[in-house]
Amino acid sequence: MKTSIIISLSLIYSFLISGCKKEEFETNPPNKPFPISKDSSLLIGNGINIIGQKWVINAYKIGEYGVQTNRSDTLYFINSKNYRFNQGTTTYNFYPSLSTYTLTLNETFIGNISGTIYEYNLKNGKIEGLKFRDITLGSSSTNYYLWLKKI
């Protein structure tokens, strides 16, 4: 009797094992990447665009406690990547950042600087003492405060 039970259990076990097979599932291929548009000539936010605008740097200050120094430098934003600084042409970036805008000016008299600008500043044509940080490679990340006016 013992052997018949062992044989029966062996047969049941072999049927269970041979009846099981690994189920294969199809994998989903990853989505194809698509290019991210970084063209700042597109209108951003509520139609804010600085292409074709002229701004004058009236003053700047180095650091929190520096002395405000008067200047008269003209910035003319030629297209979505280039601007004229006085008589020289160089590059800039302008893009939205959360509820503000980031403006990066390359090759200014104080280096490559980047700062946050508010929609209010752009609509009213005034930037009064906003902080810009020196992002030049190897710099000590000095803060500058700029006063600009749109002309």
Side-chain angles (χ1 to χ4, degrees):
M1 177 91 162
K2 231 179 186 186
T3 40
S4 65
I5 293 176
I6 292 175
I7 293 174
S8 299
L9 287 175
S10 298
L11 285 173
I12 292 173
Y13 182 70
S14 65
F15 285 130
L16 288 174
I17 290 177
S18 64
C20 295
K21 65 177 182 177
K22 184 178 177 183
E23 188 173 350
E24 298 288 330
F25 294 101
E26 281 187 41
T27 60
N28 291 329
N31 293 335
K32 292 181 180 179
F34 59 93
I36 297 173
S37 177
K38 292 185 178 181
D39 185 4
S40 62
S41 66
L42 299 173
L43 298 178
I44 43 185
N46 293 327
I48 303 254
N49 187 327
I50 62 172
I51 297 172
Q53 293 183 6
K54 285 185 182 182
W55 290 72
V56 174
I57 299 176
N58 294 320
Y60 74 101
K61 180 173 76 167
I62 302 172
E64 290 280 324
Y65 305 107
V67 176
Q68 186 174 331
T69 306
N70 292 330
R71 281 211 55 113
S72 182
D73 294 313
T74 303
L75 308 175
Y76 173 63
F77 297 95
I78 301 166
N79 55 36
S80 64
K81 297 187 187 314
N82 299 304
Y83 79 102
R84 189 174 303 127
F85 181 76
N86 292 333
Q87 299 304 318
T89 301
T90 187
T91 59
Y92 79 98
N93 286 312
F94 178 71
Y95 53 91
S97 176
L98 299 175
S99 62
T100 61
Y101 299 90
T102 299
L103 176 63
T104 302
L105 300 171
N106 297 313
E107 299 178 32
T108 68
F109 67 97
I110 50 181
N112 301 326
I113 57 174
S114 185
T116 299
I117 298 175
Y118 303 94
E119 191 169 333
Y120 166 84
N121 302 119
L122 297 168
K123 285 185 176 181
N124 292 301
K126 289 182 189 177
I127 295 174
E128 297 175 322
L130 290 183
K131 181 167 65 171
F132 283 74
R133 180 175 295 271
D134 187 353
I135 59 169
T136 306
L137 287 176
S139 74
S140 60
S141 299
T142 304
N143 290 329
Y144 295 94
Y145 295 84
L146 299 179
W147 283 259
L148 291 94
K149 184 172 173 89
K150 183 177 156 184
I151 55 172

